[in-house]
Amino acid sequence: MSIVVGGGTGFVGKHFAKLGISKGFKIINVSRTAKPNCITWNDLSRSGLPDDCAAVVSLSGEPILQPFKWWTPEMKLKIRESRIDKVKLLNQAICAAPKPPGVFVSISGVGYYKPDAHKEYTESDIVEPFDFLSEVTRDWEAAAVLPSNVKTRLVVVRSGVVLGNDGGMVANIKTPFYFGLGGPIGSGKQWLPWIYVEDTVGIIMHAIENEHITGILNGTAPNPVTSEEFTKAYASALRRPHLFPMPAFVAKAVFGAEAAGVLLEGQKVLPKRTLEMGYTFKYTDIKWVCEKLVSS
Ligand code: NDP
């Protein structure tokens, strides 16, 4: 059986492919460019899903935090279209399939929850958009919704910051931290809704393999930490000092004021429903995860 993964060529997708292949699935990535084990978005629109498609997974998205790539109107359009338009293409392919897959797992982000120093968010909280990213997330999740006559299950994984040595946030910070130039970001008191990448792909696979699961699952570790607790644990695992803070004005100069909000503010997000749906997290302790990040 095959799993079709939009944006599967990226950081999370590579880990998902490893897990999928170990379980005997054939992974078919959908990419903007033709490459081995990939079809293009045009191929998907032209030829549809393979007959043996068991699941479709959506992981596409222009990265939201890139040094000196500020959220200009052009960048905002890219952030929107790379998510929403690609989810729509997967949705259309599912609807057009003579034998639709059993499940559609679409990733989104915890940026849907408004940053708050005290509130604990779970999947049952009603969310209302309050800024650019939360508006994108609303439309991203809405684009995944299938018409009622299609029997494919929909699971949305609202992901926190995915930690892994080979991509995402850690790939951006490891060089300064390695040279002993790391430290807290902004006040350091903001929440960092983290998850280790093996759990991100574990949750996606759990949703595929368990037919009772539908709806929203928070993709965040059960023990949230503040940004400073993470940067301290990471510097300590690297055996480096934690001395050089990145003040808010530097974060704003590097990422632009709007995008820097993602680093300078955070939300405490708990995976209540993910746990209720039977997922067992492998990585729950940030110190242990940081040791793993350094040794892998
Ligand atoms: P990546 O940055 O690795 O990107 C995934 C894939 O998206 C890329 O391989 C690329 O595929 C495709 N892509 C990138 N830019 C564009 C674009 N402008 N237009 C169309 N496609 C594009 O993402 P991750 O693996 O880190 O994350 C996977 C998903 O999870 C993303 O949607 C991301 O927003 C979401 N997420 C990730 C978090 C994280 O911390 N990493 C946190 C919360 C959510 P190709 O080049 O083959 O077309």
Side-chain angles (χ1 to χ4, degrees):
M1 297 293 274
S2 63
I3 301 179
V4 170
V5 189
T9 52
F11 165 45
V12 174
K14 285 180 183 151
H15 286 266
F16 180 74
K18 212 184 280 175
L19 177 62
I21 290 164
S22 76
K23 287 179 169 277
F25 289 105
K26 178 179 178 199
I27 304 296
I28 301 170
N29 290 326
V30 191
S31 169
R32 288 168 294 174
T33 46
K35 30 187 149 8
N37 302 321
C38 277
I39 58 172
T40 64
W41 291 100
N42 281 340
D43 295 334
L44 179 74
S45 298
R46 215 177 25 244
S47 309
L49 296 172
D51 290 342
D52 70 345
C53 181
V56 171
V57 177
S58 168
L59 296 175
S60 293
E62 172 80 22
I64 57 169
L65 267 187
Q66 302 177 70
F68 307 109
K69 280 202 171 176
W70 292 23
W71 287 358
T72 59
E74 294 74 30
M75 184 61 175
K76 283 184 169 179
L77 193 64
K78 249 188 186 180
I79 289 172
R80 276 188 70 83
E81 289 184 351
S82 60
R83 289 168 173 75
I84 297 160
D85 293 6
K86 299 308 185 215
V87 170
K88 282 185 185 162
L89 290 175
L90 294 171
N91 187 322
Q92 284 161 10
I94 292 169
C95 294
K99 198 171 147 258
V103 56
F104 180 23
V105 184
S106 192
I107 206 158
S108 81
V110 294
Y112 209 171
Y113 301 115
K114 194 170 184 178
D116 192 300
H118 308 290
K119 190 168 167 43
E120 288 188 346
Y121 288 105
T122 70
E123 296 88 343
S124 56
D125 280 292
I126 307 290
V127 272
E128 292 287 345
F130 56 92
D131 66 357
F132 165 69
L133 204 56
S134 56
E135 279 169 16
V136 169
T137 311
R138 172 198 57 197
D139 298 344
W140 193 9
E141 292 188 2
V145 175
L146 296 156
S148 57
N149 62 321
V150 177
K151 295 298 167 233
T152 303
R153 283 183 294 125
L154 173 62
V155 182
V156 171
V157 178
R158 264 184 205 154
S159 176
V161 176
V162 184
L163 302 180
N165 200 29
D166 51 343
M169 188 180 85
V170 173
N172 284 323
I173 65 167
K174 72 178 170 188
T175 306
F177 273 73
Y178 180 80
F179 286 107
L181 299 172
I185 299 168
S187 74
K189 306 260 178 292
Q190 67 278 28
W191 290 104
L192 180 81
W194 67 278
I195 181 166
Y196 190 62
V197 64
E198 283 182 31
D199 275 323
T200 307
V201 300
I203 292 170
I204 296 171
M205 187 55 77
H206 185 72
I208 290 173
E209 291 181 327
N210 288 277
E211 288 181 10
H212 65 288
I213 302 179
T214 57
I216 310 286
L217 300 179
N218 281 340
T220 54
N223 299 323
V225 295
T226 62
S227 172
E228 185 169 23
E229 283 169 318
F230 165 68
T231 51
K232 248 187 194 157
Y234 187 53
S236 159
L238 279 166
R239 318 288 183 255
R240 297 290 189 273
H242 180 256
L243 293 175
F244 295 93
M246 183 196 272
F249 78 88
V250 175
K252 288 178 185 170
V254 173
F255 296 102
E258 209 176 351
V262 175
L263 287 173
L264 299 171
E265 297 180 308
Q267 46 292 88
K268 186 176 189 184
V269 181
L270 299 174
K272 184 167 181 281
R273 195 162 179 272
T274 309
L275 291 164
E276 285 166 2
M277 290 290 137
Y279 183 71
T280 306
F281 282 82
K282 282 204 246 165
Y283 299 91
T284 55
D285 178 57
I286 197 67
K287 288 187 183 154
W288 186 41
V289 164
C290 287
E291 293 291 342
K292 172 122 179 121
L293 288 173
V294 168
S295 64
S296 57

